[in-house]
Amino acid sequence: MTAMHGSVTPTPGTTTPGTTTPGTPASGGSPPPETPTHEGAASGATTRDERAPGRPGPDVPAPDTAAPGTPAPGIPAAEIPAPDGTRETAAEVAACAIADRAQGEAYVASVCFKHGPPRLTGAELEFLVHDAADPRRTPDRDRLGRALGRHAPATLAPGGRAAPLPSGSALTLEPGGQVEISTRPHASIPALVSDAGADLTHVTELLAGEGLVLGEQAIDPLRPPRRLLETERYAAMQRRFATIGPAGATMMCSTAAVQVCVDAGEPDTLPSRWAAVHALGPVLLALFANSRTHLGRDSGHASARWRAVMETEPARTDPAAAGGAVNDPPARWASRVLDTPLMVRRRAAGAWDAPDRLTFADWIARRGVARHWPPPTFGDLDYHLTTLFTPVRPRGHLEVRYVDAQPAGRWVDPVALVAALLRGPAVVDRVREVCAATEGRWADAARLGLADPALHRGARAVAELGCDGLADLGLPPALIDEITAAVDVRLGPHPG
């Protein structure tokens, strides 16, 4: 996708483009880069979780075979101006060593929050894939590759083209073979709905050719987790998460979400938008919870998917560490990023496992085993950014990640509602008011859903506020009525 805003990424260590020269190349350098496999690359775009901040990006996976030295996301593919008039390529910046924590934090703040009037929206639609005749059967790699054809990513089929879908969306895969459709950013919500719907229909038809269907729940109701994609990133993730518990494998291989990507906004309104998208989390999680049944039985949670996410590795999933009402979201997020342990350490050869509890800040300061490593580069930091799985992840835009996947015909409901609830400062302020009573109640929302009276009240207030604004998005009256009716059915009667 093209960037949500066309601003140039600041050179490392600055917050203003071109004010200082990027850091010097790392002494000794990173290991020689592998040939990157561009999973989910749209035409002319960077890839999956390494795509430029400001373009809607996916969930867990990144271009898993991307090795040290790959260009930094958010840096234009052309060149970056330096104060002396020279220009440095993205690859040159990615290879530069990070001098200290302050330089790393400044870089994170600059690439993760692109400022400008809120204008663009994107969507990422994830679905589990089942055998139409036997939903307990997991499709193998060859069968899924045949179905996707020229759209299959190279992580599934070596040499795969990962061609864009007909309306321009990127098709990617999660570790367990879940499909993900990531749209281009759109200034028009009706255009977004049209393009996403057309590409979803195309993927549905491709899968049907091999007797495969899209799942209707956000967690696999029948099958245990099974990793389909064989990459060093996913292998290291699975080993790491297994030491914590079973949730990591479930999150990686058995879950799906609807993600909504919105512009971060102007600097003066960013704190309110940041607070609002977090405050919305528990009520929208409860409203759209769609993952109660797992492994053939009731999980005891309205959203077993969200429970799995939160239990995967709290250091990289905890919503409280940088979310909510903060005066300076970029600074808070940058600090959280550097204090998060490494999930993987990319290598040109060998396993990508990272030492336990070694943070990126430790690597910069050369503490512990990191004293024996080459210094981290901006490319390493860019990759580290792809390993945080928070409810809201800033990637230039704000990636809203807490909504369960919906049945194929109902993904439009949460996408339209989120867009309507962030359509202006006055609405954003009202969102914060109506969600104040349930802010931070993530665990209750995942477990109880709308059975909790306070969450039900908050969801109803948010639904009314959002549905009242659907006409402002330019949606046709018939679709507005359909969304409103579907949301009303979800709300049902007030509990108790």
Side-chain angles (χ1 to χ4, degrees), residues 233-300:
R233 174 183 169 112
Y234 294 151
M237 285 174 67
Q238 191 165 11
R239 287 190 293 268
R240 180 184 185 88
F241 295 157
T243 65
I244 300 170
T250 300
M251 182 271 291
M252 291 176 65
C253 303
S254 298
T255 64
V258 171
Q259 298 176 19
V260 189
C261 300
V262 296
D263 281 323
E266 301 281 15
D268 60 332
T269 60
L270 171 61
S272 290
R273 285 174 69 82
W274 180 254
V277 293
H278 284 86
L280 279 168
V283 293
L284 291 186
L285 174 60
L287 177 59
F288 292 106
N290 185 38
S291 52
R292 175 171 287 279
T293 302
H294 182 43
L295 300 177
R297 57 183 180 270
D298 190 324
S299 68

Side-chain angles (χ1 to χ4, degrees), residues 43-309:
S43 177
T46 50
T47 61
R48 248 200 141 172
D49 265 61
E50 282 194 344
R51 61 183 66 155
R55 74 171 75 249
D59 191 22
V60 176
D64 312 286
T65 55
T70 49
I75 298 176
E79 296 177 327
I80 298 173
D84 60 2
T86 63
R87 304 184 74 81
E88 295 177 300
T89 66
E92 289 171 340
V93 172
C96 291
I98 300 171
D100 54 29
R101 179 178 181 122
Q103 192 181 49
E105 288 188 349
Y107 180 77
V108 170
S110 69
V111 300
C112 288
F113 294 86
K114 303 292 185 185
H115 299 301
R119 190 174 64 87
L120 302 178
T121 307
E124 299 155 29
L125 312 179
E126 298 174 355
F127 297 94
L128 295 154
V129 178
H130 295 274
D131 182 287
D134 181 5
R136 294 181 181 273
R137 179 183 176 191
T138 300
D140 60 34
R141 292 167 54 92
D142 290 342
R143 187 180 182 192
L144 191 54
R146 288 194 304 270
L148 299 180
R150 68 191 188 93
H151 303 295
T155 49
L156 177 68
R161 295 175 56 191
L165 295 170
S167 294
S169 302
L171 179 66
T172 56
L173 293 178
E174 301 287 344
Q178 308 97 306
V179 298
E180 177 176 6
I181 297 168
S182 297
T183 73
R184 297 176 294 112
H186 287 72
S188 160
I189 299 298
L192 168 63
V193 171
S194 175
D195 285 358
D199 284 341
L200 176 57
T201 297
H202 182 70
V203 171
T204 302
E205 292 171 350
L206 290 177
L207 293 172
E210 283 289 328
L212 301 174
V213 296
L214 297 174
E216 298 214 336
Q217 296 188 46
I219 199 166
D220 200 309
L222 299 171
R223 302 170 299 190
R226 176 189 166 196
R227 185 161 57 87
L228 191 68
L229 301 185
E230 297 295 336
T231 70
E232 291 294 348
R233 174 183 169 112
Y234 294 151
M237 285 174 67
Q238 191 165 11
R239 287 190 293 268
R240 180 184 185 88
F241 295 157
T243 65
I244 300 170
T250 300
M251 182 271 291
M252 291 176 65
C253 303
S254 298
T255 64
V258 171
Q259 298 176 19
V260 189
C261 300
V262 296
D263 281 323
E266 301 281 15
D268 60 332
T269 60
L270 171 61
S272 290
R273 285 174 69 82
W274 180 254
V277 293
H278 284 86
L280 279 168
V283 293
L284 291 186
L285 174 60
L287 177 59
F288 292 106
N290 185 38
S291 52
R292 175 171 287 279
T293 302
H294 182 43
L295 300 177
R297 57 183 180 270
D298 190 324
S299 68
H301 278 67
S303 178
R305 176 193 76 93
W306 193 248
R307 179 190 182 188
V309 172

Side-chain angles (χ1 to χ4, degrees), residues 310-463:
M310 290 293 94
E311 293 180 356
T312 292
E313 186 179 2
R316 66 190 73 257
T317 61
D318 182 14
V326 296
N327 293 329
D328 190 348
R332 181 77 171 269
W333 177 255
S335 179
R336 191 249 171 94
V337 166
L338 266 64
D339 288 333
T340 297
L342 298 178
M343 185 183 77
V344 297
R345 182 185 171 220
R346 297 178 297 164
R347 296 170 174 84
W352 286 19
D353 299 70
D356 191 29
R357 294 189 295 274
L358 186 80
T359 68
F360 201 91
D362 291 333
W363 190 2
I364 294 175
R366 316 300 293 281
R367 289 189 285 262
V369 297
R371 66 182 180 275
H372 303 298
W373 299 355
T377 65
F378 291 100
D380 293 320
L381 182 51
D382 288 325
Y383 199 86
H384 181 63
L385 289 171
T386 74
T387 69
L388 278 77
F389 312 127
T390 49
V392 180
R393 184 166 64 176
R395 301 186 56 75
H397 63 286
L398 305 181
E399 186 180 75
V400 178
R401 303 162 50 83
Y402 42 70
V403 177
D404 274 1
Q406 302 295 298
R410 296 268 50 95
W411 61 267
V412 68
D413 304 339
V415 171
L417 211 59
V418 169
L421 290 166
L422 298 174
R423 68 188 185 275
V427 181
V428 166
D429 290 343
R430 180 61 182 151
V431 162
R432 296 181 64 185
E433 291 175 11
V434 300
C435 293
T438 54
E439 189 166 359
R441 293 188 61 195
W442 297 95
D444 290 339
R447 183 169 61 90
L448 301 171
L450 294 178
D452 179 271
L455 286 165
H456 189 277
R457 286 193 299 272
R460 182 169 293 281
V462 159

